[in-house]
Amino acid sequence: MAEVAIHPEVLKNRVAAALGEKAKRLTIDHGELTVHVAASHYLEAMQILRDAAECRFEQLIDLCGVDYSTYRDSVWEGPRYAVVVHLLSVSLNQRVRVKVFCPDDDLPVVMSVVGLWSSVNWFEREAFDLFGIVFDGHPDLRRILTDYGFIGHPFRKDFPLSGHVEMRYDAERQRVIYEPVTIEPREVTPRIIREEDYGGLH
């Protein structure tokens, strides 16, 4: 018989007790717990979340990068890049979100947790590819979604919508070649509907 899901406040107390000073902040929003940890404590905190008896987060179900440089269209005061991880405990029927900010905006680095959860391998590669976040200790950190010759990191907020280069097959050279982008950069703003009952939603 599966464990009954526990109340978020109970989970918050469990995680706070397990992590101690390694948890910078714990917040509950929409019934979900988020734990903020410093990059210097990230790997150790993650191991505690996996192994502590009251936590037992056996599964890492998602990891992504975030670029906060234009967060909510306002000036962001903190570090630019963060890594967000979602953990699941099947045995205790509980979930937690972990957020860690990279201390250096010019070279965003956090430790890899691939030694704790092998499922994170491709997630960390994706965050490296799209945001340029380096995962120290990853056994094979290389691009996973973009081409090998791709320049830049396309999910960064300052990456141009049209990219930097175009690629095409050149029949004379019988290979793919890269050239500067020839498209004029433009911004398309979608039409926003602000009717209160639009689509029958309340």
Side-chain angles (χ1 to χ4, degrees):
M1 186 172 167
E3 289 269 344
V4 177
I6 64 169
H7 191 277
E9 284 292 343
V10 176
L11 177 59
K12 180 180 178 181
N13 293 337
R14 285 183 181 181
V15 170
L19 291 180
E21 293 182 357
K22 291 175 185 61
K24 289 176 65 176
R25 190 166 83 252
L26 296 95
T27 57
I28 295 173
D29 189 23
H30 292 86
E32 297 180 352
L33 176 64
T34 301
V35 182
H36 298 254
V37 298
S40 57
H41 294 139
Y42 173 58
L43 185 58
E44 191 178 355
M46 295 299 266
Q47 181 154 6
I48 291 169
L49 290 171
R50 187 192 69 176
D51 298 341
E54 293 292 294
C55 298
R56 282 193 272 169
F57 292 103
E58 312 99 346
Q59 293 187 12
L60 185 148
I61 56 176
D62 189 32
L63 177 146
C64 66
V66 182
D67 178 355
Y68 279 91
S69 60
T70 57
Y71 183 62
R72 292 183 174 172
D73 297 322
S74 62
V75 177
W76 175 253
E77 298 293 334
R80 177 174 177 179
Y81 300 102
V83 171
V84 179
V85 185
H86 290 91
L87 302 176
L88 170 67
S89 172
V90 176
S91 56
L92 297 177
N93 193 17
Q94 57 192 23
R95 296 170 183 261
V96 69
R97 179 186 299 110
V98 180
K99 186 178 289 189
V100 56
F101 280 92
C102 305
D104 186 349
D105 290 351
D106 294 325
L107 181 60
V109 179
V110 295
M111 294 299 294
S112 172
V113 293
V114 76
L116 300 175
W117 296 278
S118 58
S119 61
V120 81
N121 189 329
W122 285 11
F123 291 130
E124 289 184 346
R125 284 181 59 190
E126 181 182 64
F128 165 71
D129 189 358
L130 301 180
F131 290 94
I133 297 171
V134 175
F135 293 87
D136 190 13
H138 191 287
D140 186 24
L141 195 62
R142 57 193 164 99
R143 291 187 183 274
I144 191 170
L145 295 176
T146 59
D147 186 71
Y148 291 117
F150 194 87
I151 298 168
H153 303 284
F155 276 18
R156 289 186 172 186
K157 298 284 181 72
D158 53 6
F159 191 84
L161 296 178
S162 60
H164 295 288
V165 295
E166 302 176 342
M167 61 181 250
R168 66 176 177 85
Y169 180 76
D170 187 291
E172 289 181 14
R173 300 183 201 176
Q174 296 186 345
R175 66 180 179 88
V176 171
I177 63 169
Y178 294 87
E179 299 172 325
V181 170
T182 56
I183 308 168
E184 285 295 318
R186 64 191 178 105
E187 262 188 53
V188 178
T189 305
R191 180 170 162 261
I192 299 171
I193 300 170
R194 299 200 183 276
E195 298 170 20
E196 284 187 27
D197 281 333
Y198 179 73
L201 301 174
H202 300 284

